[in-house]
């Protein structure tokens, strides 16, 4: 600990207060590690009269989807220990505690981290070089406002873009919302739609189920307990939704309640399994749609489909419900039986050759799915983060559709499970005067060739074509510039060129790899230094919550909240009063909470909420089954599709397929179907790069947030998962340092040789911080050195799990 | 008070390591020292068929282990100074830092890796069952932190009445060596102590 204190670059102004913490925790622990902390604290305060012990409520505000309660213990203004929710009767589901996982438990080290940004800095070297000099807040805000004025005048508001960022997620009055309020008052900015997490599935499923929100979400996890069979495609809440108050806890309770038979399809033997599953079916990445087609073949030929359901509720299963615009034999049944345009019969043997799953197993699986009533079928979102992601997502939902397992107790749509969310109000952001919107994944292209981007070629929405390329990036709590976007080496070259994007401002807590690419660095306060009333996140299962954040410590160094930064910029544009409406940040929190309380009398006073901790609300018992209304009355509750039915054959996609200009090899089809893509296991490129590489969410960080915490790096080793068969042929042993490379780049990491992954596939936890050496080889194990910026055909999303690589011992 | 001990339900555990982190946070342990460690135990083989498809019999599970506060602790027997001792009131095994000379005999004797050497102060340290929390009616921090509710703590007789007395699960040693105050809830994947089919897959994470 002393070591990383020594390495800390300390602001002279704040050195004393930081060292106070150092002497209390860092220093004391060195001489007395092993003693309970209170003995340490006592020893350190013998010369003090009355050290002030406080415990305040806060939350872990990162992008796992959960928002876990934290109790922050401080001693004389210094954080000493983090605990989590300890209230209520935890044995009663519904009163269960919102227990933080290891990441929330480590937040002390995130606050007191040597990587903290401490004061405003401006770039002095070349962009990306990482050389900065300290400036005052006045200089920083003058510089930012000046650049914004210049860029708006020269190129228009459409040239300003927010990078996607979720490092601090869930503020209602601060962060992204505060920035959007400011930008909308200043004439707006280029919008984006979709996101890196589920860009394809959210875009694709409305073609099947319509745009009604309930249709694009699943049933509640609690419905699992009413099912006879649970089939999960790549769904892995034990590693992605780890909160003890949210999805994994609810999932484990539901599965155990009736010991429902569980089959999990995934290339990895994940931590969701571990014997809790009845069957693991390992599959090659990107081939889920082929498995579905093999299953569909059995369902159709063995008469296990729910024909009455397909006739009444669906469009395009067979000739009876095929729309007039479709070609002859354009229906699903013909496609599966080999009577469609490709003439290939999608038999289990055909599917086994693609998926790596024995045909016998596919037949067994199909018979189980076809005869279990009800069956709860769902998919995670790793599957759709592939080059054929939209097709895979739409294909998997064909299984509940074909078997009529929709809209009834114990069923699901094939999408992720639903989560309840309490609607805590946000600061009004106004509306964005700029109409143009690009896919979230297209921002690097919009820097290079924005004006070429159109609705038919690049998925631009709101306008037919962009007027300008991106000239300014605003990056808030985002490690997207050089870590979380695909193909880092290409991104780096684009960002380096100052003639393209002219100005990059970044607000964050830590000196991330992305921060190196900023022109202006602004230090944000951490959530433990900020005030807020937040919601439960978006993965809290049936448990909604209103979560108070009380500042546990004063802002460190010269850190300022995004709200305060926006006030400073607004002042320079002469709209301070308009922006603040005469309120401080604290007063906004009080004002919005008072409004929420006026609407919902169950809410306690703000003072009481801050004292008692999160207010909990369970989701209502009705509306837990997705599409229940539609199942009951398909006319009165018609879906948002053109036909009002479930569109197996989508007329909207038929039109898009005709009109859009697609790159060679990209396919959009009205039916959901398996598509062999570039860099799949069937690509000729496998001769050079024989292994498929997928990413996964490691438990030791949330995307790239919390990566810089040694206690977490120790707990969950960063290593590339490889099967002993692949390791043996390359002479690699567990724990060896290996290099992984393709034409886009090279990264180095340790090998985790384990039978828990299918042969031919490598898996690397995404989010490790990019650490290039002088030759540009990443020494940080950053997955995105190897990923591809080529977008997916329909949503123009991120195909980050479609990569071919080779691997060798260093 | 009765002998206290832990129940670790491997059928609920997902290997998240929150127990490890919460212990580390409460006790301010440096990197490299973990009073509670989570072992990943897995094994199984793959067969590639002639048509290129695969079958396997892979299994895996996690076991979260701290000190088991054994009925016949190997560490106290090995301790020449009496620093490592078993508390009469609750049977928790703790080390008296003012007496320990750091000879590390206890570390060598313990089959569970519980006593850990503090290289700065040159004395031993280990899980003390959070006896100060327990005295105030709280649970040990690891138990209270577990997101999957896979850990319990209490009088071992009561826990045994509820959960039986299995502790002979790989990668743990044969429990007859020290009679540990720990019960392991088994899962479909569990293997017996001394199993040769699997191995600890995360040696780096548990300091092996």
């Amino acid at each position: 600990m002393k070591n990383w204190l020594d390495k800390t670059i300390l602001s002279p102004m704040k050195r004393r207060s930081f060292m106070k913490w150092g002497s209390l925790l860092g220093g004391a622990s060195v001489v007395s590690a092993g003693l309970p902390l209170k003995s340490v604290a006592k020893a350190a305060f013998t010369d003090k009269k009355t050290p002030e012990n406080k415990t305040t409520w806060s939350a872990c505000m990162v992008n796992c989807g959960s928002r876990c309660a934290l109790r922050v213990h401080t001693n004389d203004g210094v954080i000493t220990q983090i605990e989590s929710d300890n209230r209520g009767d935890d044995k009663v589901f519904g009163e269960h505690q919102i227990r933080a996982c290891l990441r929330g438990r480590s937040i002390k080290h995130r606050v007191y981290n040597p990587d903290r940004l401490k004061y405003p800095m401006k770039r002095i070297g070349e962009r990306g070089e990482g050389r900065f000099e300290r400036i005052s807040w006045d200089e920083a805000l003058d510089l930012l406002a000046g650049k914004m004025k210049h860029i708006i005048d020269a190129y228009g508001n459409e040239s300003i873009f927010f990078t996607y960022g979720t490092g601090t997620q869930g503020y209602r009055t601060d962060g992204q919302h505060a920035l959007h309020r400011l930008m909308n008052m200043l004439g707006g900015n280029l919008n984006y739609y979709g996101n890196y997490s589920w860009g394809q599935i959210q875009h694709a499923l409305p073609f099947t189920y319509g745009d009604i929100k309930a249709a694009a979400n699943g049933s509640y996890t609690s419905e699992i307990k009413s099912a006879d069979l649970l089939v999960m495609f790549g769904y892995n809440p034990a590693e992605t939704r780890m909160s003890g108050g949210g999805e994994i806890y609810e999932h484990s309770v539901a599965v155990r309640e009736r010991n429902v038979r569980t089959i999990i399809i995934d290339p990895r033997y994940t931590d969701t399994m571990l014997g809790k599953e009845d069957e693991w079916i390992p599959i090659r990445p990107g081939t889920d749609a082929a498995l579905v087609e093999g299953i569909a073949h059995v369902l159709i030929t063995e008469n296990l489909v729910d024909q009455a359901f397909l006739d009444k509720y669906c469009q395009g299963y067979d000739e009876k419900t095929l729309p007039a615009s479709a070609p002859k034999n354009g229906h699903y049944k013909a496609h599966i039986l080999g009577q469609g345009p490709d003439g290939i019969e999608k038999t289990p043997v055909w599917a086994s050759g693609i998926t790596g799953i024995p045909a016998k197993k596919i037949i067994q699986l199909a018979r189980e799915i076809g005869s279990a009533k009800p069956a709860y079928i769902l998919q995670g979102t790793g599957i759709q983060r592939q080059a054929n992601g939209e097709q895979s997502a739409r294909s998997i939902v064909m299984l509940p559709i074909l078997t009529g397992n929709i809209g009834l107790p114990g069923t699901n749509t094939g999408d992720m499970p639903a989560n309840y969310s309490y609607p805590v109000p946000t600061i009004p952001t106004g509306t964005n005067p700029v109409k143009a919107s690009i896919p979230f994944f297209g921002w690097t292209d919009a820097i290079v060739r924005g004006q070429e981007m159109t609705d038919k070629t690049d998925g631009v929405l709101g306008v037919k074509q962009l007027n300008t390329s991106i000239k300014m990036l605003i990056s808030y709590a985002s490690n997207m510039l050089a870590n979380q976007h695909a193909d880092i080496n290409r991104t780096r070259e684009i960002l380096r060129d100052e003639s393209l994007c002219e100005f990059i401002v970044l607000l964050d807590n830590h000196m991330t790899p992305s921060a190196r690419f900023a022109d202006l660095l602004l230090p944000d306060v951490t959530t433990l230094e900020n005030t807020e009333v937040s919601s439960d996140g978006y993965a809290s299962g049936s448990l909604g919550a209103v979560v108070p954040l009380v500042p546990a410590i004063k802002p460190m160094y010269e850190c300022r909240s995004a709200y305060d930064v926006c006030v400073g910029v607004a002042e320079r544009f002469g709209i301070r009063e308009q922006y603040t409406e005469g309120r401080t940040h604290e007063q906004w929190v009080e004002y919005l909470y008072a409004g929420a309380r006026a609407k919902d009398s169950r809410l306690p006073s703000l003072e009481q909420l801050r004292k008692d901790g999160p207010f909990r609300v369970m989701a209502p018992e009705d509306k837990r089954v997705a599409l229940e209304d539609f199942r009951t009355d398909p006319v009165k509750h018609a879906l948002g599709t053109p036909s009002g039915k479930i569109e197996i054959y989508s007329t909207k996609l038929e039109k898009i397929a005709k009109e859009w200009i697609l790159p060679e090899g990209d396919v959009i089809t009205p039916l959901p179907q398996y598509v062999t893509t570039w860099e799949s296991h069937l690509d000729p490129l496998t001769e050079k790069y024989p292994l498929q590489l997928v990413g996964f969410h490691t438990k030791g960080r949330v995307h790239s947030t919390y990566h810089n915490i040694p206690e977490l790096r120790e707990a969950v080793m960063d290593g590339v998962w490889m099967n002993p068969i692949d390791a043996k042929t390359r002479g690699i042993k567990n724990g060896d340092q290996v290099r992984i490379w393709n034409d886009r780049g090279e990264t180095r990491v340790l090998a985790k040789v384990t039978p828990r992954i299918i042969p031919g596939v490598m898996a690397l936890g995404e989010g490790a911080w990019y650490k290039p050496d002088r030759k540009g080889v990443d020494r940080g194990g950053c997955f995105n050195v190897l990923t591809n910026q080529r977008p997916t055909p329909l949503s123009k999303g991120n195909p980050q799990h479609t990569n071919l690589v080779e691997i060798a011992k260093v | 008070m009765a002998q206290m001990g832990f129940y670790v339900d491997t059928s609920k555990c997902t290997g998240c390591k929150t127990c490890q982190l919460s212990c580390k946070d409460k006790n301010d342990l440096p990197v490299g020292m973990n009073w509670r460690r989570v072992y990943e135990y897995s094994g199984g083989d793959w067969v590639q068929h002639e048509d290129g498809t695969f079958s396997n019999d892979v299994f895996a599970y996690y076991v979260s282990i701290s000190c088991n506060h054994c009925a016949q602790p190997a560490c106290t027997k090995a301790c020449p100074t009496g620093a490592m001792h078993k508390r009469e009131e609750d049977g928790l095994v703790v080390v008296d830092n003012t007496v320990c000379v750091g000879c590390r005999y206890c570390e060598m004797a313990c089959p569970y890796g519980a006593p850990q050497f503090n290289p700065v102060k040159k004395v031993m340290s280990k899980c003390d069952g959070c006896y100060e929390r327990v005295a105030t009616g709280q649970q040990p921090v690891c138990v209270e932190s577990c997101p999957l509710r896979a850990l319990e703590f209490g009088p071992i007789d009561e826990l045994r009445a509820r959960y039986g007395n299995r502790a002979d699960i790989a990668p743990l040693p044969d429990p007859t060596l020290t009679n540990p105050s720990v019960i392991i809830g088994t899962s479909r994947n569990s293997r017996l102590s001394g199993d040769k089919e699997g191995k600890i897959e995360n040696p780096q994470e548990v300091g092996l």
Side-chain angles (χ1 to χ4, degrees):
Chain A
M1 195 173 276
K2 187 167 188 302
N3 211 5
W4 58 265
L5 275 180
D6 288 346
K7 280 189 284 182
T8 310
I9 314 154
L10 292 171
S11 147
M13 293 170 69
K14 293 288 177 181
R15 189 177 175 87
R16 267 185 59 217
S17 62
F18 188 82
M19 286 313 288
K20 190 170 67 176
W21 173 76
S23 63
L24 173 66
L25 275 183
S29 74
V30 170
V31 290
S32 59
L35 284 178
L37 190 61
K38 51 191 135 172
S39 321
V40 178
K42 213 188 282 171
F45 281 109
T46 44
D47 56 335
K48 280 264 188 182
K49 279 178 195 148
T50 47
E52 194 197 358
N53 286 299
K54 272 201 314 186
T55 300
T56 46
W57 285 98
S58 192
C60 178
M61 306 269 280
V62 295
N63 189 24
C64 63
S66 313
R67 194 146 301 135
C68 298
L70 300 176
R71 285 184 297 135
V72 185
H73 302 301
T74 54
N75 192 324
D76 207 29
V78 174
I79 302 166
T80 51
Q81 191 192 341
I82 304 292
E83 289 193 84
S84 187
D85 198 355
N86 65 342
R87 305 161 308 156
D89 184 357
D90 191 59
K91 299 250 183 304
V92 179
F93 188 82
E95 289 177 41
H96 58 284
Q97 296 163 358
I98 309 168
R99 292 187 179 182
C101 76
L102 73 163
R103 301 172 296 207
R105 285 277 181 170
S106 76
I107 201 168
K108 178 173 84 189
H109 302 290
R110 198 172 157 221
V111 174
Y112 296 128
N113 194 290
D115 292 333
R116 277 292 292 268
L117 293 174
K118 300 172 183 69
Y119 32 73
M121 293 194 285
K122 73 173 182 189
R123 173 168 67 87
I124 49 174
E126 309 226 322
R127 192 187 278 162
E129 201 186 332
R131 289 171 60 214
F132 295 91
E133 73 177 11
R134 181 179 176 178
I135 56 174
S136 72
W137 267 108
D138 274 341
E139 277 177 271
L141 293 170
D142 287 345
L143 175 63
L144 176 56
K147 287 285 181 187
M148 280 168 92
K149 278 178 189 159
H150 161 71
I151 284 168
I152 290 171
D153 288 347
Y155 308 105
N157 285 74
E158 201 183 288
S159 70
I160 301 177
F161 186 73
F162 279 90
T163 64
Y164 184 80
T166 57
T168 304
Q169 167 105 344
Y171 278 148
R172 320 302 287 185
T173 55
D174 207 320
Q176 293 281 6
H177 295 294
L179 286 156
H180 283 296
R181 177 176 169 83
L182 175 72
M183 283 313 297
N184 289 345
M185 285 180 180
L186 295 177
N189 55 272
L190 180 63
N191 297 290
Y192 67 76
Y193 65 89
N195 60 63
Y196 290 81
S197 295
W198 38 56
Q200 285 89 292
I201 190 169
Q202 283 193 339
H203 199 85
L205 288 199
F207 289 98
T208 308
Y209 286 128
D211 291 322
I212 304 167
K213 191 174 178 286
N217 279 307
S219 302
Y220 276 78
T221 297
S222 53
E223 284 305 310
I224 290 172
K225 64 174 184 277
S226 307
D228 280 344
L229 176 68
L230 172 63
V231 183
M232 314 208 292
F233 284 80
Y235 181 65
N236 182 19
E239 290 173 78
T240 56
R241 266 79 189 277
M242 289 162 55
S243 166
E247 218 165 295
I248 180 58
Y249 181 58
E250 184 158 338
H251 177 83
S252 68
V253 169
V255 170
R256 288 174 80 92
E257 191 163 321
R258 258 195 49 221
N259 209 12
V260 55
R261 180 169 164 77
T262 304
I263 300 171
I264 306 183
I265 298 141
D266 200 302
R268 289 167 68 230
Y269 190 74
T270 66
D271 290 344
T272 299
M273 301 190 220
L274 307 172
K276 298 168 186 73
E277 84 294 358
D278 293 281
E279 201 165 347
W280 169 41
I281 301 182
I283 185 169
R284 290 194 182 110
T287 68
D288 301 84
L291 171 61
V292 168
E293 295 189 349
I295 292 170
H297 191 275
V298 179
L299 294 176
I300 292 167
T301 55
E302 298 192 6
N303 204 22
L304 291 167
V305 297
D306 187 338
Q307 187 71 46
F309 178 83
L310 292 162
D311 291 346
K312 184 173 177 187
Y313 297 94
C314 307
Q315 167 178 287
Y317 168 66
D318 55 24
E319 63 274 8
K320 274 180 282 178
T321 55
L322 192 64
S325 60
K328 192 173 181 300
N329 280 347
H331 52 84
Y332 192 76
K333 194 174 173 181
H335 168 72
I336 297 297
L337 297 179
Q339 297 148 1
D342 66 7
I344 298 168
E345 194 174 354
K346 313 302 183 303
T347 61
V349 171
W350 168 86
S352 75
I354 296 167
T355 59
I357 303 168
K360 199 175 134 197
K361 182 67 68 189
I362 296 174
I363 295 166
Q364 280 172 355
L365 181 58
R367 288 176 183 162
E368 276 206 67
I369 291 172
S371 48
K373 296 280 182 243
Y376 189 108
I377 301 167
L378 79 160
Q379 63 182 304
T381 52
I383 288 165
Q384 51 89 57
R385 226 168 286 128
Q386 310 225 18
N388 53 12
E390 296 98 347
Q391 295 279 12
S392 300
R394 284 202 300 137
S395 293
I396 290 166
V397 307
M398 283 308 299
L399 293 179
I401 292 170
L402 289 169
T403 52
N405 277 304
I406 283 187
L408 302 173
T411 69
N412 181 39
T413 53
D415 198 351
M416 293 267 280
N419 288 286
Y420 185 65
S421 196
Y422 189 93
V424 177
T426 55
I427 195 169
T429 53
T431 48
N432 188 348
V434 173
K435 294 289 161 248
S437 189
I438 60 169
F440 66 93
F441 193 56
W443 62 271
T444 36
D445 274 349
I447 291 174
V448 180
R449 52 174 192 92
Q451 278 147 298
E452 292 173 19
M453 290 170 72
T454 73
D455 54 347
K456 301 276 192 292
T457 55
D458 297 281
V460 171
L461 290 181
V463 294
K464 287 204 176 311
Q465 188 158 12
L466 297 187
N467 289 314
T468 170
S469 296
I470 292 169
K471 290 294 181 186
M472 174 172 174
L473 291 173
I474 301 175
S475 191
Y476 172 75
S478 167
N479 196 2
M480 201 55 67
L481 299 177
N483 221 87
Q484 297 303 93
H485 193 54
D487 195 350
I488 286 175
N489 287 322
R490 177 179 189 248
T491 305
R492 201 165 71 150
E493 288 314 306
I494 292 168
L495 292 178
R496 265 184 189 160
D497 187 344
E498 291 171 47
S499 73
L500 295 171
C501 179
E502 293 183 7
F503 192 69
I504 301 173
V505 57
L506 185 135
L507 294 81
D508 212 326
N509 294 139
H510 297 121
M511 189 70 201
T512 63
S514 291
R516 294 170 68 88
F517 287 85
D519 297 306
L520 176 64
L521 278 173
L522 302 176
D524 189 12
V525 294
T526 63
T527 46
L528 297 199
E529 296 152 44
N530 209 346
T531 182
E532 189 61 280
V533 174
S534 187
S535 66
D536 41 73
Y538 57 88
S540 63
S542 305
L543 181 63
V546 180
V547 186
L549 277 78
V550 180
I553 55 168
K554 292 199 179 82
M556 292 181 72
Y557 316 107
E558 289 186 21
C559 296
R560 284 191 192 178
S561 71
Y563 179 86
D564 286 344
V565 170
C566 289
V567 172
V569 176
E571 186 164 14
R572 280 154 179 83
F573 276 89
I575 56 163
R576 184 193 166 104
E577 273 304 299
Q578 192 192 337
Y579 186 82
T580 63
E581 296 182 21
R583 295 186 189 95
T584 62
H585 181 217
E586 172 68 30
Q587 285 166 337
W588 271 110
V589 174
E590 289 166 7
Y591 167 75
L592 291 168
Y593 187 77
R597 214 174 155 226
K599 280 190 192 156
D600 185 349
S601 57
R602 293 174 301 172
L603 287 174
S605 71
L606 185 53
E607 197 189 349
Q608 203 65 37
L609 181 79
R610 285 170 171 169
K611 190 167 158 275
D612 295 348
F615 172 76
R616 291 180 292 198
V617 193
M618 284 296 280
E621 280 304 314
D622 61 337
K623 309 248 183 224
R624 283 176 168 258
V625 178
L627 300 188
E628 195 173 15
D629 288 351
F630 172 70
R631 181 89 196 220
T632 309
D633 188 341
V635 178
K636 193 172 158 199
H637 300 286
L639 301 182
T641 54
S643 63
K645 291 183 172 185
I646 294 171
E647 295 207 350
I648 298 169
Y649 185 98
S650 165
T651 47
K652 271 192 184 174
L653 286 174
E654 181 191 75
K655 191 160 178 275
I656 287 173
K658 280 178 193 152
E659 290 178 356
W660 282 19
I661 301 153
L662 295 173
E664 201 187 328
D666 278 11
V667 177
I668 293 174
T669 59
L671 290 177
Q673 60 189 66
Y674 170 70
V675 173
T676 309
T677 68
W678 44 267
E679 293 200 39
S680 72
H681 68 296
L682 299 172
D683 188 319
L685 188 65
T686 47
E687 279 179 32
K688 189 175 174 193
Y689 300 118
L691 301 166
Q692 286 183 283
L693 174 75
V694 294
F696 66 93
H697 288 202
T698 136
K699 300 176 292 186
R701 58 183 165 257
V702 182
H703 304 299
S704 70
T705 316
Y706 283 116
H707 175 81
N708 53 336
I709 298 191
E711 287 77 2
L712 293 178
R713 301 281 58 74
E714 170 196 48
V716 186
M717 185 193 88
D718 272 317
V720 63
W721 287 39
M722 60 189 310
N723 187 286
I725 295 171
D726 298 314
K728 197 178 173 194
T729 56
R730 289 166 179 79
I732 295 167
K733 290 194 294 296
N734 197 6
D736 279 349
Q737 177 85 4
V738 292
R739 49 191 289 258
I740 317 169
W741 76 98
N742 59 20
D743 286 341
R744 290 181 288 275
E746 176 179 332
T747 188
R748 293 194 182 172
V749 73
L750 300 180
K752 183 183 171 91
V753 178
T754 172
R756 295 176 60 184
I757 187 164
I758 188 170
V761 179
M762 310 288 112
L764 185 57
E766 55 98 34
W769 284 18
Y770 174 58
K771 212 167 115 190
D773 65 13
R774 282 184 190 175
K775 289 176 183 165
V777 171
D778 171 46
R779 301 299 184 99
C782 183
F783 178 62
N784 281 316
V785 169
L786 304 162
T787 58
N788 197 334
Q789 272 186 24
R790 178 172 172 170
T792 59
L794 180 61
S795 66
K796 307 298 178 191
N798 49 332
Q800 256 148 326
H801 300 325
T802 303
N803 311 286
L804 290 176
V805 297
E806 180 55 289
I807 184 167
K809 197 171 163 174
V810 173
Chain B
M1 204 192 286
Q3 169 70 50
M4 304 297 274
F6 288 101
Y7 172 60
V8 181
D9 189 346
T10 64
S11 76
K12 285 184 176 172
C13 178
T14 61
C16 74
K17 294 156 184 161
T18 305
C19 51
Q20 178 180 319
L21 249 292
S22 60
C23 171
K24 223 172 159 78
D25 181 53
K26 176 193 172 277
N27 297 300
D28 200 34
L29 304 181
V31 168
M33 195 182 287
N34 290 299
W35 289 355
R36 189 169 270 287
R37 301 159 307 285
V38 181
Y39 293 86
E40 177 189 348
Y41 193 76
S42 67
D45 291 318
W46 285 80
V47 178
Q48 183 159 18
H49 306 295
E50 278 181 12
D51 62 358
T53 62
F54 298 99
S55 297
N56 74 82
D57 59 355
V58 170
F59 67 92
Y61 59 96
Y62 292 92
V63 188
S64 168
I65 285 295
S66 59
C67 170
N68 299 315
H69 305 286
C70 305
Q72 290 93 38
C75 59
T76 57
K77 265 187 239 164
C79 179
T81 65
M84 191 66 80
H85 64 288
K86 198 167 166 63
R87 284 158 54 96
E88 278 182 20
E89 56 268 51
D90 50 21
L92 294 173
V93 177
V94 297
V95 56
D96 184 345
N97 269 343
T98 62
V99 178
C100 177
V101 294
C103 69
R104 302 178 74 162
Y105 285 0
C106 56
E107 184 187 359
M108 286 179 264
C110 175
Y112 295 98
Q116 294 180 8
F117 185 62
N118 178 337
V120 178
K121 214 184 168 193
K122 308 215 182 321
V123 291
M124 299 311 295
S125 74
K126 64 181 284 302
C127 159
D128 60 6
C130 285
Y131 66 84
E132 287 179 313
R133 282 173 68 99
V134 173
T136 65
Q138 290 175 283
Q139 291 285 298
V141 72
C142 55
V143 172
E144 199 178 89
S145 74
C146 178
L148 275 300
R149 282 73 169 175
L151 293 177
E152 285 183 43
F153 179 82
I156 196 73
D157 289 346
E158 287 178 24
L159 292 174
R160 281 182 180 139
R162 222 175 305 154
Y163 300 115
N165 191 24
R166 298 292 299 272
D168 53 344
I169 303 302
L172 304 184
D174 183 340
T176 58
L177 291 172
T178 63
N179 194 4
S181 302
V182 68
I183 306 158
I184 307 292
T186 57
S187 78
R188 187 166 63 78
N189 281 354
S190 297
R191 293 293 192 273
L192 287 174
S193 297
D195 172 72
K196 301 281 180 234
E197 288 170 31
K199 58 175 191 246
I200 295 170
E201 290 277 3
N202 64 338
Q204 299 88 348
E205 290 171 359
V206 292
L208 291 176

